[in-house]
Amino acid sequence: MRVKMSSIHVIDPAAAFDFYTGTLGFEPLMVLPEYNLFIVQAPNIPDGPGLLLEPSDHPVAEAYRTGVYGMGLPAVVLGVDDVQAEMERLSALGVRFTGPPSTDAMGTQAVFDDGCGNYIQLHQD
């Protein structure tokens, strides 16, 4: 058993698609703009899980998204080889981080705002 797809609620799926592909480097997996359906996946992992950029247009979904965001909690954790290098790359592209990277027993992490209604955590083992 493995994760096939997961989702993240976003304010605007098309704008999120542009950010996740153009800035973060994800690859399109399925794009059906007429259905407001945008799914991306990590590059170089053809059988990897998809990430559905889910419209947050249902009241329950929007309450969840705004609640998680309001508490400053990351909606998803993305693994990277080097948090500091990725933070520098993304910062140069205008991505806003909530603070400097931190390291603890779990690894190194940094959190940024995806501009689509979520905080995203980068994590390095």
Side-chain angles (χ1 to χ4, degrees), residues 31-118:
V31 180
L32 298 170
E34 63 274 20
Y35 296 106
N36 207 22
L37 178 65
F38 298 88
I39 304 172
V40 297
Q41 73 182 122
N44 304 316
I45 307 175
D47 291 331
L51 180 63
L52 171 61
L53 303 171
E54 182 103 34
S56 201
D57 53 1
H58 188 281
V60 172
E62 181 59 9
Y64 171 78
R65 189 200 59 73
T66 57
V68 170
Y69 186 84
M71 293 180 66
L73 300 173
V76 68
V77 177
L78 304 176
V80 296
D81 292 330
D82 184 335
V83 166
Q84 184 64 46
E86 195 63 25
M87 187 174 180
E88 290 170 11
R89 180 185 81 80
L90 293 174
S91 292
L93 294 171
V95 174
R96 186 183 62 81
F97 282 80
T98 61
S102 63
T103 301
D104 58 26
M106 302 298 281
T108 301
Q109 50 274 328
V111 176
F112 66 89
D113 189 321
D114 71 356
C116 306
N118 298 286

Side-chain angles (χ1 to χ4, degrees), residues 20-21 67 73 103 110 122:
Y20 279 72
T21 57
L73 300 173
T103 301
L122 298 178

